[in-house]
Amino acid sequence: MYIYDDFDRTLVQERVREFGDQVNRRLSGELTEEEFKPLRLMNGVYLQLHAYMLRIAIPYGTLSSDQMRMLAHVARRYDRNYGHFTTRQNIQFNWIKLKELPDAMADLARAGLHGMQTSGNCVRNVTTDQWAGVAPDEIEDPRIWAELLRQHLTLHPEFSFLPRKFKVALTAAAHDRAAVKIHDIGLRMHRNGAGETGFEVIVGGGLGRTPFIGKTIKPFLPKRDLLSYVEAIMRTYNQYGRRDNIYKARMKILVHELGAEKFAGEVEEEWQSIKDGPLALDPAVVADIAARFRYPQYELLADNPSELARAREDNRFRLWLDNSVTNHKVAGYAIVTLSLKPEGGPPGDATAAQMDTIAELADRYSHGEIRVGHEQNLALPHVAQRDLPTLWRALDGIGVATPNVNLISDIIACPGLDYCSLANARSIPVAEEITRRFRDLDLARNVGPLHINISGCINACGHHHIGHIGILGVEKNGEEYYQVTLGGRADDSAELGTILGPAVPYAEIADVVEDIATAYLELRARPGELFVDTVQRVGVDPFRERVYAAR
Amino acid sequence: MPLVKAGRIVEDRFVRVVDDAPVPDGAAAILPAARFLADAHELVLRQAPIGVVWPNDRKVAELAPYLDWIALVALVFPNFRDGCAYSQARLLRERYHFRGELRATGQILRDQCLFLQRAGFDAFELTKAADAPAFVAAVQRYSVFYQPAADGRASTLTARLARVPQHSPS
Ligand code: SF4
């Protein structure tokens, strides 16, 4: 947990006051909607189909139990008793009234939460591995660097009116859980020959209507240079990024049009003139930020305590344990994922009552800490293994222990036509229907790890390009159709999916997914071969033949 | 369109010269970039102050050789969502050490004034008359700044450093 100091608290409060004033000027007509729009967006306020939506940042996915209680309070007091966790470590409230927004923000600020830069053409919430600080495979805690970046890029006077939105992600683990290659800037920590850690800098990734996998422009950047190098990238983008066409305005287009090498050259030149200036990081400043991260006092415990062995005899517990519980870097502890993908439910939603209970369970079993991942699930990061059976019963009691993490029903979906004014088609009901088709978890387990991503339009908020199965809502003669891609992935071998065939109507999309799963079971070389690996080996043609044979 | 400098509404002493109209003798004048560059060698010898309107898609490095003789650079915000000129302003101040008047022109709202000031602007042609009296409050809204910029305000990077010795190991 990063604990705010006076500077952080003051800044958030000043921001809330400023926004309150802007809302009043809008309500009195002093500001036109056109003028108000970029201001509200920079505070996380969208105008959706039916109401204003408020998006709150959960920096690097770490939440305290008190912050979770505050989210529950906001859901109850200003919304319809629930909130929606997104793919970018944010939470959205869908039904907030404009005139109540300043109050909701003031309440959130009391818990150190805010909506700053969660939308608009500015630097968005810096995301990272949701298991940062507890994953056994990381070389150090990336959140310290994420926090330094967050601060540096918050209300940055030069970069608050960029050509387009700007996303930064960071990981320090061997396995990339932050999808760094699909961000404007992706940072990957490595250790060099001298034993120092630093950053591989990847730029120009992104999905949307023109998807690109990012390119490495700096294999190893020393830590002291993190802020100056990012500043040089941003300055290059702010000056040369296109502003004439919204669809060509993301940095990925600039990188693509210039070529990664030329882009890297521009950045390098800019960086050389600022790298030894005030942005060079003093180790004492880094240490000061690091000191504000609080870590639990772990007990000395052994792995696999007797409580666990006994509880394993219960079949339901064992299934959950094998599916939703992951190794922790400290012996005797575990990381527990809470599935927000119940059968027939909208992915990523949590009710106020669930949030309150999760906060209480975090206090009791996870040192008061909760994590939010880009897969739209939550996690309790510091659970003693002996507590797992009791915790499981409590989680099961509130419906967040479905053992489907990473399985076919653990679907990532954007809000789609139910909320979003840009949508071509619904996303949530498609996800709900697929979870019903795979309610038989024996079947889902047999299919194994498989990520479905659904976007309601080409803007790709559901990251369909990198879904093992990607589903994109399109419109055909006023009807909802879906285009399916196979073989996308966001991991180290990041890849964009390949189109399976002609789009199919709403009524058939769940059948198509079932057919794909059946085809995979026939096509895989052996039971352990992952879906994506099968697609990579055989290509999409055999899938196409099977899926379209009957259509 | 009120011009605000040092927190106050002031008279604009510069006259704008369009395209190839004659430059008025003895009066402060602002010229378009192309015109300025064409006649730069003569213009910098003038007695009266000279200013230039610099478009937001042209490198300010081109202007660097003349900065010592220029009294004013006007940068352009074609609309308030276009933030190119923030980078130009910082480069003029921090890289090329321009000490003259740096004026923000185009579509400027009070909500941007603090960012503009931090980027190095010291003169603001505000779009709305009502924003002029609100200017001082707008640039004083914040007391905490996470990053150093062109305005010399202390950032948390240095403020935090100052308190490091008092940190008790916990
Ligand atoms: S992908 Fe399209 S439909 Fe879905 S949330 Fe984004 S803009 Fe809306």
Side-chain angles (χ1 to χ4, degrees):
Chain A
M1 261 331 297
Y2 173 73
I3 308 296
Y4 269 22
D5 65 9
D6 290 349
F7 297 130
D8 305 309
R9 266 191 300 274
T10 305
L11 185 125
V12 170
Q13 281 155 3
E14 288 171 343
R15 182 61 159 181
V16 168
R17 278 199 291 276
E18 179 184 42
F19 187 62
D21 174 57
Q22 289 165 342
V23 168
N24 286 336
R25 281 157 62 214
R26 173 72 196 110
L27 289 170
S28 75
E30 223 184 299
L31 280 174
T32 64
E33 179 56 30
E34 200 213 345
E35 291 163 342
F36 181 55
K37 188 177 171 188
L39 304 175
R40 67 167 160 78
L41 287 178
M42 258 185 269
N43 285 283
V45 180
Y46 270 86
L47 191 54
Q48 295 200 120
L49 270 185
H50 314 288
Y52 281 104
M53 177 266 275
L54 174 61
R55 185 184 283 162
I56 297 301
I58 300 167
Y60 33 87
T62 303
L63 266 183
S64 70
S65 51
D66 284 341
Q67 289 175 324
M68 186 63 112
R69 276 186 205 98
M70 182 53 79
L71 295 176
H73 158 79
V74 169
R76 222 174 252 126
R77 171 102 171 62
Y78 303 101
D79 201 294
R80 300 186 176 173
N81 271 316
Y82 70 95
H84 174 74
F85 290 96
T86 77
T87 55
R88 290 210 78 254
Q89 300 182 321
N90 295 310
I91 182 169
Q92 295 179 181
F93 295 106
N94 287 311
W95 304 96
I96 304 231
K97 295 186 194 66
L98 182 57
K99 66 174 194 308
E100 291 186 350
L101 265 167
D103 291 338
M105 285 183 174
D107 288 356
L108 288 160
R110 282 193 278 122
L113 291 164
H114 60 80
M116 273 187 273
Q117 298 179 200
T118 54
S119 49
N121 295 337
C122 50
V123 186
R124 304 294 185 84
N125 190 20
V126 175
T127 57
T128 181
D129 187 348
Q130 69 264 33
W131 295 344
V134 292
D137 67 338
E138 76 182 12
I139 53 177
E140 64 176 78
D141 190 342
R143 293 174 301 169
I144 289 151
W145 305 100
E147 176 61 21
L148 274 157
L149 282 170
R150 180 193 77 81
Q151 295 190 9
H152 180 66
L153 296 168
T154 293
L155 302 186
H156 195 298
E158 187 179 347
F159 307 132
S160 290
F161 296 90
L162 295 168
R164 198 76 180 84
K165 59 187 168 185
F166 200 93
K167 300 177 180 180
V168 183
L170 173 64
T171 182
H175 181 80
D176 174 12
R177 283 175 290 265
V180 299
K181 288 184 179 169
I182 57 159
H183 285 76
D184 294 279
I185 299 180
L187 297 163
R188 195 149 190 190
M189 297 198 81
H190 295 293
R191 197 182 296 285
N192 70 6
E196 297 149 345
T197 50
F199 305 91
E200 175 186 353
V201 184
I202 301 160
V203 298
L207 300 176
R209 72 182 62 205
T210 329
F212 283 109
I213 303 289
K215 316 231 171 12
T216 298
I217 57 165
K218 194 101 189 149
F220 190 87
L221 179 75
K223 287 166 161 179
R224 84 181 268 281
D225 298 323
L226 179 65
L227 298 186
S228 60
Y229 197 77
V230 165
E231 185 104 329
I233 295 174
M234 310 279 325
R235 183 167 287 165
T236 304
Y237 171 55
N238 189 45
Q239 292 186 96
Y240 308 124
R242 289 179 62 171
R243 295 176 195 262
D244 58 329
N245 178 341
I246 183 176
Y247 301 121
K248 307 225 179 237
R250 286 291 294 272
M251 192 169 79
K252 61 190 175 185
I253 306 290
L254 178 66
V255 172
H256 177 72
E257 286 180 352
L258 280 182
E261 224 163 278
K262 178 120 194 288
F263 180 84
E266 293 278 350
V267 171
E268 186 70 25
E269 197 188 320
E270 179 58 39
W271 181 53
Q272 287 302 333
S273 26
I274 57 173
K275 68 194 279 274
D276 298 319
L279 292 183
L281 274 168
D282 188 313
V285 170
V286 179
D288 184 53
I289 296 286
R292 306 205 61 79
F293 275 83
R294 197 164 291 167
Y295 294 90
Q297 296 281 321
Y298 295 108
E299 292 173 63
L300 263 181
L301 297 172
D303 277 332
N304 293 314
S306 56
E307 291 91 339
L308 209 53
R310 264 199 310 280
R312 271 181 163 281
E313 284 159 24
D314 178 340
N315 208 14
R316 284 187 65 231
F317 175 75
R318 198 176 60 241
L319 286 178
W320 174 79
L321 182 71
D322 292 342
N323 173 265
S324 305
V325 179
T326 316
N327 291 340
H328 196 283
K329 68 175 185 190
V330 177
Y333 283 83
I335 307 168
V336 173
T337 300
L338 280 52
S339 169
L340 295 184
K341 317 289 176 66
E343 181 195 320
D349 278 12
T351 64
Q354 284 175 323
M355 290 187 225
D356 274 335
T357 307
I358 291 166
E360 197 189 310
L361 293 171
D363 279 337
R364 212 175 310 154
Y365 300 112
S366 182
H367 294 268
E369 203 177 306
I370 300 144
R371 301 295 180 87
V372 183
H374 77 91
E375 298 89 350
Q376 302 181 281
N377 288 322
L378 302 177
L380 296 177
H382 314 288
V383 180
Q385 291 173 10
R386 58 152 192 257
D387 293 333
L388 286 169
T390 339
L391 174 63
W392 169 67
R393 272 186 292 276
L395 295 175
D396 194 37
I398 58 165
V400 295
T402 314
N404 63 348
V405 175
N406 276 323
L407 299 181
I408 194 165
S409 51
D410 186 2
I411 298 168
I412 292 176
C414 80
L417 198 52
D418 293 291
Y419 297 97
C420 176
S421 50
L422 303 172
N424 291 320
R426 286 168 290 171
S427 308
I428 294 170
V430 174
E432 290 171 343
E433 180 56 22
I434 296 170
T435 62
R436 281 190 283 266
R437 300 291 178 97
F438 290 90
R439 69 154 65 88
D440 174 1
L441 286 170
D442 284 339
L443 174 60
R445 258 194 311 283
N446 187 15
V447 173
L450 198 167
H451 298 158
I452 297 183
N453 292 59
I454 310 176
S455 304
C457 82
I458 194 74
N459 287 318
C461 304
H463 300 171
H464 63 278
H465 299 107
I466 49 158
H468 299 169
I469 298 177
I471 300 177
L472 164 67
V474 293
E475 191 228 277
K476 263 193 185 175
N477 310 320
E479 310 232 348
E480 296 166 277
Y481 270 68
Y482 296 86
Q483 188 181 72
V484 176
T485 48
L486 297 186
R489 59 204 295 176
D491 57 7
D492 311 317
S493 19
E495 194 80 59
L496 303 170
T498 308
I499 293 175
L500 179 68
V504 298
Y506 179 78
E508 287 178 36
I509 183 65
D511 298 339
V512 167
V513 171
E514 276 191 296
D515 291 350
I516 293 169
T518 311
Y520 155 67
L521 292 176
E522 288 168 27
L523 290 165
R524 68 182 174 189
R526 55 194 156 72
E529 188 180 52
L530 295 181
F531 175 82
V532 259
D533 294 334
T534 306
V535 177
Q536 201 157 33
R537 183 172 54 80
V538 304
V540 299
D541 288 348
F543 286 92
R544 179 179 302 137
E545 281 157 26
R546 285 169 169 76
V547 168
Y548 289 94
R551 299 206 144 72
Chain B
M1 210 178 293
L3 175 68
V4 171
K5 282 187 77 172
R8 288 196 318 275
I9 303 178
V10 296
E11 198 74 47
D12 189 356
R13 63 191 180 112
F14 282 83
V15 283
R16 291 224 180 206
V17 176
V18 286
D19 301 326
D20 27 83
V23 182
D25 256 346
I30 307 180
L31 275 70
R35 172 78 186 281
F36 173 81
L37 290 177
D39 301 336
H41 295 283
E42 292 152 47
L43 288 167
V44 295
L45 298 174
R46 253 169 54 106
Q47 289 303 313
I50 196 83
V52 56
V53 183
W54 199 254
N56 75 347
D57 55 359
R58 195 158 181 167
K59 289 196 181 205
V60 290
E62 278 184 76
L63 204 47
Y66 312 107
L67 287 174
D68 285 347
W69 292 276
I70 296 177
L72 176 154
V73 177
L75 296 176
V76 187
F77 294 84
N79 65 64
F80 51 78
R81 294 183 309 278
D82 184 334
C84 260
Y86 290 99
S87 289
Q88 292 179 312
R90 286 196 67 186
L91 288 172
L92 281 171
R93 289 291 195 219
E94 294 170 64
R95 181 134 334 137
Y96 303 112
H97 309 289
F98 176 59
R99 293 280 161 259
E101 175 177 327
L102 193 50
R103 188 183 289 191
T105 69
Q107 214 182 3
I108 311 291
L109 297 175
R110 80 173 78 156
D111 308 274
Q112 294 153 274
C113 287
L114 178 58
F115 289 143
L116 291 167
Q117 200 186 54
R118 298 212 65 214
F121 289 97
D122 58 355
F124 310 84
E125 279 185 17
L126 295 169
T127 309
K128 296 185 177 188
D131 281 351
F135 177 88
V136 173
V139 296
Q140 286 175 356
R141 207 168 256 299
Y142 288 88
S143 62
V144 172
F145 305 95
Y146 274 141
Q147 58 294 101
D151 57 341
R153 284 180 172 95
S155 82
T156 52
L157 277 183
T158 41
R160 288 208 161 97
L161 200 55
R163 73 172 184 199
V164 168
Q166 290 104 53
H167 240 292
S168 55
S170 55

